[in-house]
Amino acid sequence: LDFVNSPVPFLIGMTVKDETHSLEIENDERVVDARETGLTCINLSTNTVRLTNETEIVEIIQGCPTPKNQLAMFEKRLDFLRTQSSPLRSFARFVKQGFSRSEIETIESIRRVIRTYLNGLADNIAAHPYGWSQYGKKDESGDNFDFYPSLFVDRLKQQMKLLECRLQFQEMMAYSQLFVEYVDGQRKAALCKEMVGKYIADWIYLHWKLKKLLKEKKEAETKTSLFRR
């Protein structure tokens, strides 16, 4: 476990014998010390995450918008699908029959949300095949490309400035009389649609009720006629 104190970024997976072995690894002094300087432990057996205690990283994680609500919704969906006979509960069963259509769609949705979020961190470098070419230049020979992180960061800062300007404008707009009237107009339009919908529903129900009464009356008259014969 000495590698956990490596100063370079790494992603390592380890197999364990049982839950006791897993806890021994997580509580190892080297792992505990490494968590103070950036190490995060994800236990796939217990579905738990032990975030790093490094203050700077914790502040970034807490302040960074993440798709937690979407993932929580899909987690509930998987819990609903995780019946006793579901392959989600048994790897052997998964090998034999695979996932159901609903399980596949839910898992694909989770992957899509995570992929979209991570690609968004790289901005247009991930969005376009040659997006990287905007943030560096080739050397004199033209064979090597030198990436300049500052160019990428400058673009992000420009986007943030645009967002700040937009937020400032939206704040001014929200307090304007014109926007107040716009909100009131939207409210009235919604109420009008609601009233129209209620009117249509009442009209349909009334005519259905009348039609039903006429049908019942006609059937009663037919029965009476047959009885008299």
Side-chain angles (χ1 to χ4, degrees):
L1 286 175
D2 291 335
F3 68 86
V4 297
N5 291 308
S6 172
V8 298
F10 61 85
L11 177 64
I12 299 293
M14 297 184 64
T15 57
V16 296
K17 299 177 182 178
D18 48 35
E19 188 174 347
T20 302
H21 187 203
S22 174
L23 291 174
E24 289 177 357
I25 294 175
E26 292 184 10
N27 295 323
D28 187 282
E29 290 184 4
R30 291 163 293 184
V31 174
V32 173
D33 290 340
R35 286 187 59 219
E36 300 296 326
T37 56
L39 178 69
T40 291
C41 300
I42 302 175
N43 192 322
L44 300 179
S45 299
T46 59
N47 295 324
T48 56
V49 178
R50 291 192 180 187
L51 290 175
T52 177
N53 293 324
E54 187 172 350
T55 304
E56 184 178 354
I57 297 179
V58 171
E59 290 178 351
I60 292 175
I61 293 175
Q62 291 178 344
C64 185
T66 60
K68 289 188 292 186
N69 292 337
Q70 288 176 287
L71 294 177
M73 178 185 66
F74 288 128
E75 182 181 16
K76 291 181 180 179
R77 175 64 176 169
L78 284 178
D79 288 338
F80 174 77
L81 296 172
R82 194 182 290 117
T83 59
Q84 292 297 329
S85 59
S86 171
L88 291 170
R89 288 185 174 273
S90 169
F91 181 74
R93 195 177 296 124
F94 163 71
V95 173
K96 290 181 179 179
Q97 64 187 57
F99 290 131
S100 67
R101 186 63 186 172
S102 297
E103 291 167 340
I104 292 174
E105 290 177 353
T106 304
I107 293 173
E108 282 298 319
S109 296
I110 293 174
R111 293 179 60 187
R112 193 179 305 114
V113 169
I114 295 175
R115 182 168 56 248
T116 300
Y117 173 73
L118 294 178
N119 286 342
L121 297 177
D123 199 53
N124 64 336
I125 295 180
H128 303 288
Y130 292 94
W132 51 267
S133 62
Q134 304 177 38
Y135 308 112
K137 63 180 181 180
K138 294 183 178 180
D139 59 13
E140 294 180 357
S141 65
D143 296 329
N144 299 315
F145 177 82
D146 295 325
F147 171 66
Y148 297 111
S150 60
L151 295 178
F152 177 69
V153 174
D154 287 342
R155 173 184 167 86
L156 297 179
K157 289 181 178 179
Q158 290 176 0
Q159 292 177 344
M160 289 300 297
K161 287 181 179 178
L162 291 174
L163 289 175
E164 290 175 0
C165 291
R166 179 175 178 177
L167 177 61
Q168 185 178 6
F169 171 78
Q170 287 177 311
E171 183 178 359
M172 295 171 61
M173 178 185 70
Y175 286 98
S176 66
Q177 183 61 34
L178 186 63
F179 190 73
V180 172
E181 292 179 1
Y182 168 76
V183 172
D184 189 57
Q186 290 292 95
R187 181 185 65 84
K188 291 179 179 178
L191 291 175
C192 182
K193 288 182 180 180
E194 184 178 334
M195 292 176 62
V196 170
K198 188 176 183 302
Y199 173 80
I200 293 174
D202 290 342
W203 185 88
I204 292 175
Y205 175 77
L206 177 62
H207 283 71
W208 172 80
K209 193 69 175 178
L210 289 173
K211 187 175 182 181
K212 184 179 180 182
L213 290 173
L214 290 173
K215 183 179 179 181
E216 291 176 351
K217 183 179 180 181
K218 186 175 181 180
E219 290 176 352
E221 291 176 348
T222 303
K223 290 180 181 178
T224 302
S225 178
L226 292 173
F227 178 76
R228 287 177 179 177
R229 290 180 183 179

